[in-house]
Structure formats: structure tokens, C-alpha cells
Amino acid sequence: KSVAKCIDDLIEKAKSTSMDEDNLNDMGVVATNITQLLNEILSHVRRGQEPGKAVGPYDEACDAVITTSDKLFNSLGDAPEMVRQARALAEATSLLVESLRKEAELSVDPELQRRLLGAAKMVADATARMVEAAKNTAAHPESTDQQTMLRNAATELKLVSN
């Protein structure tokens, strides 16, 4: 998570410089690839599984959140595409919330149930904020401020989901 956060910070700092848009887009693609590789490595380490192979519905939902949020980040500047990706991200987080709730229902450990339901609520709340930002971006597609707010909301959602 800290490496992914550093990558996101690096991208944000690069955007504040005079770097041209092509270089920023290239940097975004590289950051997406690094994030995906890190997640595959973490999956392998945690579960002793092949990298790239999801373990269950929770892992599949997390992978979908990561992939879709990366696509949203890479579409900065294209408001209609950002809104499409935000819609897909909301669907992916809905699956994640449902997966967390089901896992909580199946758990006999009250502390684990509490943590899982708390995580589900955090993801649902962050999703609601991202959906609101997507609505604002759709209403004002020319506004770079609205696009930035959507990107920030998606970043928060991605962090909360991991």
C-alpha cells in the first residue's frame, strides 16, 4: 500500500510540473502496471498462489476495483470516459461490499464480523462520495476541478478498498 501511495504521490507531483500531457499519460500507464504487478506479488506472498490468479470473490472484487480505478486515473481529461469508468468502479465496489458482508455473515468471530462490516461501510461511503463526484463531472464535463475531484474520490476509494 505504501508503494502504491508513493506512486500516486509521484503522479500528482508530476502533474503540478510543466510536464507535457503525453509524458503524464505514459507515467500513468507505468504507474498502473507497477500497481498491478505489486498486487500480484502481494497475492502470491499472502496465499502462496500464482501471481495473477484471484482466490475468491473478495479478491476478484478487489482486482476489479484496482483495474477500474486505474482506468479512471488514465482517462483524466476525458470527462465522459471518466464518468463511464466511475460507473464501472461503483459496480466493482458494490461487489466488494457484498463480498465483505457475506464473509462477515459466515464468520463466527464477532471481532472479525465487526471489522468486515466496518470495512464494508467505509467502502460504501467512499463509493457514495465517488458517485457524487462523477455526477458533478458529468454535469460539468469541461471543469478540470470536477475531474480532479472525481480522481481524488476514486483514489480514496481505491485506498479504502485495499
Side-chain angles (χ1 to χ4, degrees):
K1 287 183 184 179
S2 61
V3 173
K5 175 77 173 115
C6 288
I7 291 169
D8 286 342
D9 290 346
L10 180 64
I11 297 289
E12 287 302 315
K13 287 177 184 171
K15 285 181 180 178
S16 67
T17 67
S18 61
M19 188 179 283
D20 67 32
E21 192 167 330
D22 286 338
N23 285 335
L24 281 175
N25 287 337
D26 290 344
M27 194 172 195
V29 169
V30 169
T32 298
N33 291 339
I34 291 170
T35 301
Q36 289 171 342
L37 289 171
L38 284 171
N39 286 322
E40 287 181 16
I41 291 168
L42 286 173
S43 175
H44 176 70
V45 169
R46 287 184 193 143
R47 294 181 176 74
Q49 297 251 330
E50 283 180 41
K53 187 174 182 180
V55 175
Y58 172 79
D59 296 308
E60 291 171 3
C62 285
D63 288 347
V65 168
I66 291 165
T67 301
T68 309
S69 59
D70 288 343
K71 287 179 182 177
L72 188 148
F73 300 152
N74 289 331
S75 63
L76 189 64
D78 181 357
E81 181 61 21
M82 288 183 77
V83 171
R84 274 191 291 282
Q85 293 304 325
R87 191 173 295 124
L89 182 54
E91 291 172 12
T93 58
S94 174
L95 295 173
L96 178 58
V97 168
E98 184 60 30
S99 175
L100 289 166
R101 287 184 179 151
K102 283 181 182 176
E103 192 172 336
E105 286 175 13
L106 296 174
S107 176
V108 293
D109 180 356
E111 177 60 23
L112 180 58
Q113 284 178 337
R114 185 188 65 72
R115 288 190 350 233
L116 289 169
L117 292 173
K121 181 176 179 354
M122 287 174 55
V123 172
D125 291 347
T127 301
R129 288 188 291 276
M130 192 265 316
V131 167
E132 187 61 33
K135 288 179 183 178
N136 292 336
T137 299
H140 306 284
E142 72 290 341
S143 172
T144 56
D145 289 341
Q146 292 300 327
Q147 291 178 27
T148 300
M149 290 171 64
L150 175 54
R151 185 188 193 290
N152 292 343
T155 299
E156 176 195 3
L157 181 54
K158 182 178 178 180
L159 292 174
V160 167
S161 297
N162 285 322

